[in-house]
């Protein structure tokens, strides 16, 4: 991120925050807060950069989310959206996507809101509809080998209900799913 004074990571889910803390360790200026991204306690125009990572499809009320982003983002500030799209996943990366797609189905069956992943075009349409001027977008293909073992562990620990994911994994292997990244400014 270059130079920064403070990074605030928010989530409404305590378990997700604990996973983030464990993954990131001690980073100077980083703090985690349990808050609803659609209704935060921060003052207007508090942030130069707001990022949404693999969460857009978890928000049931996109109108409220983007109203809050508009309120919080400083004039000239940047919004970064990083989502696992449902398209443009091939080979080993598609194994991770199928694993996530299964998680989505399980969450939905349990009554937890978890919308199916959007396509890249749908992500752009959502952003534009909510007043984001897209300055750059690209498909990020993570290559860090340390990110793969936890995914393999999840696949190997599942029963026959995940046979479709296993078959895909056996055929193509495992890699982190591609991430669609968009930088933009609010109108």
């Amino acid at each position: 991120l270059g130079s920064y004074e403070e990074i605030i990571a928010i989530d409404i889910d305590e378990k997700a925050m604990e996973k983030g803390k464990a993954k990131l360790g001690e980073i100077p200026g980083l703090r985690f807060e349990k808050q609803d991204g659609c209704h935060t306690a921060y003052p207007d125009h508090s942030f130069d950069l707001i990022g949404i990572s693999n969460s857009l499809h978890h928000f049931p009320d996109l109108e409220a989310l983007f109203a809050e982003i508009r309120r919080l983002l400083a004039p000239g500030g940047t919004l970064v959206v990083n989502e696992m799209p449902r398209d443009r996943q091939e080979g080993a990366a598609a194994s991770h996507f199928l694993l996530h797609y299964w998680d989505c189905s399980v969450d939905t069956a349990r009554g937890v809101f978890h919308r199916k992943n959007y396509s890249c075009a749908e992500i752009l349409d959502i952003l534009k509809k909510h007043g984001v001027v897209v300055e750059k977008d690209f498909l990020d293909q993570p290559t860090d080998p340390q990110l793969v073992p936890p995914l393999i562990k999840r696949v190997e620990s599942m029963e026959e209900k995940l046979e479709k994911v296993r078959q895909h994994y056996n055929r193509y292997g495992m890699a982190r799913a591609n991430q669609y990244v968009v930088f933009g400014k609010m109108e």
Side-chain angles (χ1 to χ4, degrees):
L1 293 173
S3 64
Y4 60 89
E5 292 176 24
E6 182 177 43
I7 299 172
I8 302 171
I10 69 167
D11 203 302
I12 200 163
D13 182 350
E14 194 76 41
K15 287 181 186 177
M17 286 195 305
E18 292 305 319
K19 284 173 69 175
K21 287 177 188 176
K23 186 183 287 188
L24 295 175
E26 292 295 321
I27 295 177
L30 171 64
R31 77 173 193 259
F32 289 82
E33 295 182 3
K34 183 175 179 180
Q35 291 204 47
D36 177 350
C38 295
H39 309 284
T40 70
Y42 306 113
D44 292 357
H45 312 296
S46 296
F47 299 95
D48 295 318
L49 183 139
I50 294 177
I52 303 172
S53 186
N54 290 314
S55 299
L56 193 62
H57 64 285
H58 287 276
F59 286 94
D61 188 350
L62 293 175
E63 299 294 329
L65 173 67
F66 283 98
E68 187 68 354
I69 290 170
R70 185 173 284 103
R71 185 184 76 75
L72 293 174
L73 201 57
T78 300
L79 172 65
V80 178
V81 175
N82 175 54
E83 273 295 295
M84 180 192 301
R86 74 165 177 261
D87 57 341
R88 300 171 71 180
Q89 305 290 353
E90 298 174 358
S95 295
H96 181 199
F97 173 77
L98 289 171
L99 183 59
H100 182 267
Y101 196 81
W102 172 254
D103 290 342
C104 176
S105 300
V106 170
D107 285 349
T108 301
R110 291 177 32 233
V112 175
F113 184 85
H114 193 164
R115 186 180 281 123
K116 301 285 187 202
N117 295 63
Y118 298 110
S119 68
C120 292
E122 289 169 326
I123 293 166
L124 284 178
D125 288 344
I126 289 166
L127 296 176
K128 290 174 184 176
K129 174 185 173 191
H130 291 94
V132 177
V133 177
V134 174
E135 295 184 333
K136 181 176 184 172
D137 70 303
F138 58 92
L139 189 66
D140 182 34
Q141 298 174 314
T143 57
D144 182 352
Q146 293 180 342
L147 300 174
V148 175
L151 298 174
I152 294 171
K153 185 177 178 182
R154 283 173 57 195
V155 170
E156 291 175 346
S157 68
M158 295 179 175
E159 298 302 321
E160 65 278 350
K161 292 180 181 178
L162 289 179
E163 191 57 36
K164 183 177 179 182
V165 174
R166 275 200 196 101
Q167 288 172 1
H168 198 279
Y169 162 67
N170 289 335
R171 182 172 178 190
Y172 294 104
M174 178 64 76
R176 289 274 302 163
N178 301 325
Q179 302 290 306
Y180 185 56
V181 181
V182 180
F183 288 80
K185 307 246 185 226
M186 299 304 288
E187 292 180 328

